[in-house]
Amino acid sequence: MEQIEMADDIIIFPEFDKIKNEIERLRIELSMLLLERDELQFVICRNIEAKYTLEFGSIEYRAYEAQCTALRLKRKIELIQAKRNRQEPVSIVAIEEILDQEFASYQKQLDERISKMNEALQWKESDALSESDSKELKMLYRKLVKILHSDMNPERTDAQRELFEHAVTAYKNGDLATLRMIDAMVGSETLVKQSGDTIEQLNEEKRRLQNLLKKIQESIAQIKTRYPYTMKEILEDEEKTEQLRQQYEEILGQYEERILFYRIKIEEMMGESHE
């Protein structure tokens, strides 16, 4: 068997080539997993969330708004009662100012829900990529992942890092033209850092890639256990979709009953304070 001597070690070429081939296989598998994870995050989950928001966003918003209103009225009762207990005059204007401060975070969340609705509507109105364009988008992005991703190229430059950030943004937005431009700038895969020339370096690279593969697989599994991916099954089942809508309607009805009760209570309290 042909051998070459380096220092006191003997490297057997077939073993050397075997590890290099294994590293290349791991790189290919890693690039495919990174693409799968990013497609899951940036495309599939984004589409699921948009569909969910269009389906339930309105009733969900109304239920949350009713919850905020009920909590605010309950707190208003507490503030009025505190004034009465101290035999102080009740100023509704002053109390409302206090409530505005205390419930600012709730209002912010309501505004965020409106923003999500707007985003979902924009998604609905946007032009979807054709099947061929979508296929090209994935192909170009995977190629750029292999060249520019930090896991594939640990010693990438700042320019490469910035270029990949642009590629990620373009992929998220389905911007095929930008990905084509970045691909033209990068060219071939010559930017990918090659593994070292010793068995030790090759084995270290192999272990690094194997650990990365495990982490990406775990990340994909975790994404599938969280919102919005967990809504996928509901959106694909008309019966489950209707059941969830009814649940929101019931929650909304419960909060509306509380709102009516609290408002009547406040009227009674204010009436008593004027007697």
Side-chain angles (χ1 to χ4, degrees):
M1 183 178 295
E2 185 179 0
Q3 299 176 345
I4 182 171
E5 183 174 351
M6 295 182 63
D8 295 327
D9 298 329
I10 294 179
I11 297 178
I12 302 174
F13 278 121
E15 181 182 355
F16 184 85
D17 290 339
K18 180 181 178 181
I19 297 177
K20 290 198 75 172
N21 290 335
E22 178 66 9
I23 286 174
E24 180 57 24
R25 185 192 67 78
L26 289 170
R27 284 184 179 277
I28 292 172
E29 187 177 352
L30 181 60
S31 69
M32 293 177 68
L33 276 177
L34 287 168
L35 176 61
E36 180 183 348
R37 184 200 62 187
D38 288 354
E39 183 180 15
L40 190 59
Q41 289 184 115
F42 304 144
V43 180
I44 296 175
C45 283
R46 187 177 180 182
N47 290 344
I48 292 172
E49 185 170 23
K51 289 178 182 178
Y52 176 85
T53 302
L54 291 173
E55 188 73 44
F56 299 107
S58 178
I59 182 63
E60 193 179 55
Y61 177 86
R62 289 166 57 205
Y64 184 71
E65 184 180 38
Q67 179 188 22
C68 294
T69 301
L71 290 172
R72 181 174 176 127
L73 289 171
K74 182 181 179 182
R75 176 61 176 153
K76 188 174 183 178
I77 290 171
E78 293 173 353
L79 293 174
I80 291 172
Q81 188 61 52
K83 288 287 186 180
R84 292 178 62 183
N85 291 342
R86 294 192 296 269
Q87 296 184 343
E88 297 175 356
V90 177
S91 171
I92 294 298
V93 172
I95 287 176
E96 290 293 348
E97 289 177 354
I98 293 172
L99 292 172
D100 286 342
Q101 294 177 2
E102 291 184 353
F103 284 81
S105 62
Y106 288 91
Q107 185 59 52
K108 182 179 179 181
Q109 291 184 49
L110 283 169
D111 293 341
E112 289 174 355
R113 289 172 185 266
I114 292 176
S115 295
K116 282 189 175 182
M117 282 291 293
N118 289 331
E119 290 174 4
L121 291 169
Q122 289 175 359
W123 169 86
K124 183 180 180 181
E125 295 170 358
S126 63
D127 295 329
L129 291 175
S130 66
E131 185 176 345
S132 61
D133 284 349
S134 180
K135 186 176 180 180
E136 183 182 357
L137 186 83
K138 292 180 184 179
M139 182 271 292
L140 289 176
Y141 184 68
R142 185 185 166 211
K143 177 181 176 182
L144 294 171
V145 163
K146 290 178 70 177
I147 301 171
L148 299 173
H149 197 287
S150 60
D151 290 340
M152 306 297 293
N153 182 14
E155 296 183 6
R156 64 181 181 168
T157 65
D158 289 342
Q160 290 173 347
R161 176 187 56 76
E162 185 175 355
L163 196 60
F164 185 66
E165 289 175 358
H166 288 306
V168 171
T169 300
Y171 181 69
K172 285 181 181 179
N173 298 328
D175 186 352
L176 183 56
T178 297
L179 277 187
R180 284 171 176 165
M181 181 180 66
I182 295 173
D183 176 59
M185 292 170 61
V186 171
S188 66
E189 299 181 13
T190 55
L191 291 178
V192 179
K193 182 181 180 295
Q194 298 299 317
S195 303
D197 294 326
T198 68
I199 287 289
E200 290 77 9
Q201 289 173 316
L202 289 172
N203 280 324
E204 183 179 348
E205 176 67 1
K206 179 180 174 181
R207 286 191 294 271
R208 185 184 76 86
L209 292 172
Q210 287 173 331
N211 289 333
L212 284 172
L213 280 170
K214 184 179 179 181
K215 289 180 180 178
I216 298 300
Q217 288 168 340
E218 291 173 349
S219 175
I220 290 172
Q222 288 175 1
I223 291 172
K224 291 182 177 180
T225 64
R226 299 194 301 260
Y227 173 88
Y229 190 85
T230 49
M231 296 295 105
K232 183 175 182 289
E233 184 179 353
I234 292 175
L235 293 170
E236 292 175 348
D237 189 316
E238 291 184 5
E239 185 176 346
K240 291 181 179 179
T241 296
E242 185 57 32
Q243 288 176 352
L244 183 57
R245 184 178 288 105
Q246 289 178 4
Q247 289 176 15
Y248 277 125
E249 291 286 357
E250 290 174 3
I251 292 171
L252 175 60
Q254 292 170 2
Y255 280 120
E256 286 177 340
E257 289 178 1
R258 293 187 191 181
I259 289 170
L260 179 60
F261 172 80
Y262 290 147
R263 282 176 173 163
I264 292 173
K265 178 67 175 178
I266 289 171
E267 288 179 2
E268 291 175 350
M269 295 176 73
M270 295 306 297
E272 291 172 0
S273 65
H274 290 140
E275 290 178 359

